[in-house]
Amino acid sequence: MTIKEKPTASEILKIISQPWIGTKEIGKLACVGLNKAIEIKKEIKKELLDEGYKLPSGNVVPCDRVVKYLKINVNYLKKISE
């Protein structure tokens, strides 16, 4: 098992500033490999579709839902990145 490099607070903030993100970005945020990132994305997509949302093509999910799913403390990241 390889250990993924942990992103800095600034890198995380840069990623989550995008409205939509894909598997690669989810992997960076969660510090996981491709398979686990795909699994996370599928779970988020399923939740959204079950709630009646329509998703764009392009295999992306809303970044705010990824932040919520991973329980990322945005205020703390902003504080330590200053």
Side-chain angles (χ1 to χ4, degrees), residues 41-70:
K41 185 175 66 179
K42 281 183 183 178
E43 286 182 43
I44 294 169
K45 281 180 86 167
K46 183 182 181 326
E47 287 176 9
L48 289 165
L49 294 172
D50 289 347
E51 292 173 18
Y53 287 96
K54 303 279 187 212
L55 297 174
S57 60
N59 218 9
V60 292
V61 293
C63 190
D64 66 326
R65 293 301 284 252
V66 176
V67 169
K68 180 180 173 186
Y69 182 90
L70 295 175

Side-chain angles (χ1 to χ4, degrees), residues 12-79:
I12 293 171
L13 289 170
K14 184 177 179 183
I15 292 170
I16 66 173
S17 69
Q18 303 171 42
W20 300 90
I21 60 174
T23 308
K24 181 180 174 184
E25 293 84 7
I26 292 171
K28 285 181 183 179
L29 290 175
C31 299
V32 296
L34 179 64
N35 291 338
K36 184 63 180 176
I38 291 170
E39 189 179 312
I40 291 169
K41 185 175 66 179
K42 281 183 183 178
E43 286 182 43
I44 294 169
K45 281 180 86 167
K46 183 182 181 326
E47 287 176 9
L48 289 165
L49 294 172
D50 289 347
E51 292 173 18
Y53 287 96
K54 303 279 187 212
L55 297 174
S57 60
N59 218 9
V60 292
V61 293
C63 190
D64 66 326
R65 293 301 284 252
V66 176
V67 169
K68 180 180 173 186
Y69 182 90
L70 295 175
K71 297 178 175 67
I72 296 173
N73 187 339
V74 177
N75 291 329
Y76 174 72
L77 293 173
K78 287 179 181 177
K79 182 179 173 183

